[in-house]
Amino acid sequence: SNMRWHAGTDGLTRASGDGPLSGEMNTIIIISRLGIVGDDGATFAANACATYKATEGGKTYGDWYLPSKEELFIMHQNYSTIDATAIANGGAAFGSGYYWTSTEVSASHAWVQHVTLGNQISEVKTAPDRVRAVRAF
């Protein structure tokens, strides 16, 4: 789905981890810092991922997070396989457009990844970009 990166107010969260396994900590940092900076109650990327739950085989998984810049780049490198696996298991393929990463650029910008084309750009945090939650990357 499309949503903004922040919780209603620009502010520096210091969620700067950009490598593999950084997204989980970035998500925790974003949620805790945005409560201080300003939260208008609307859905935002990191919170949507952190509160997502999926049930498979009677087990509910709630350990999802917003992937880091490099984690989403790795997803770009493997998006055809990810799409095929997701569709075969009742999920959804990546849509066309940019996806938020958990990697912050500044108080007003964060990185986004175009999963199918491969490019990454800095985007204003108010932009309505896509979100793809991951777990145990």
Side-chain angles (χ1 to χ4, degrees), residues 39-137:
D39 185 350
D40 65 6
T43 302
F44 60 98
N47 193 51
C49 292
T51 58
Y52 180 72
K53 294 188 183 346
T55 302
E56 178 69 29
K59 294 181 183 179
T60 300
Y61 299 93
D63 55 344
W64 300 85
Y65 62 89
L66 185 63
S68 71
K69 183 180 177 190
E70 189 170 339
E71 288 170 328
L72 257 178
F73 183 73
I74 293 168
M75 292 171 78
H76 151 69
Q77 293 174 316
N78 297 284
Y79 86 88
S80 295
T81 302
I82 293 168
D83 280 356
T85 303
I87 291 167
N89 290 287
F94 282 105
S96 180
Y98 285 96
Y99 284 78
W100 283 117
T101 76
S102 62
T103 308
E104 184 176 57
V105 175
S106 67
S108 60
H109 287 74
W111 287 105
V112 291
Q113 168 80 52
H114 198 293
V115 176
T116 56
L117 299 178
N119 55 319
Q120 294 180 328
I121 62 170
S122 172
E123 177 80 277
V124 293
K125 293 177 179 177
T126 57
D129 288 313
R130 295 175 179 271
V131 175
R132 185 79 168 222
V134 298
R135 61 181 292 272
F137 191 87

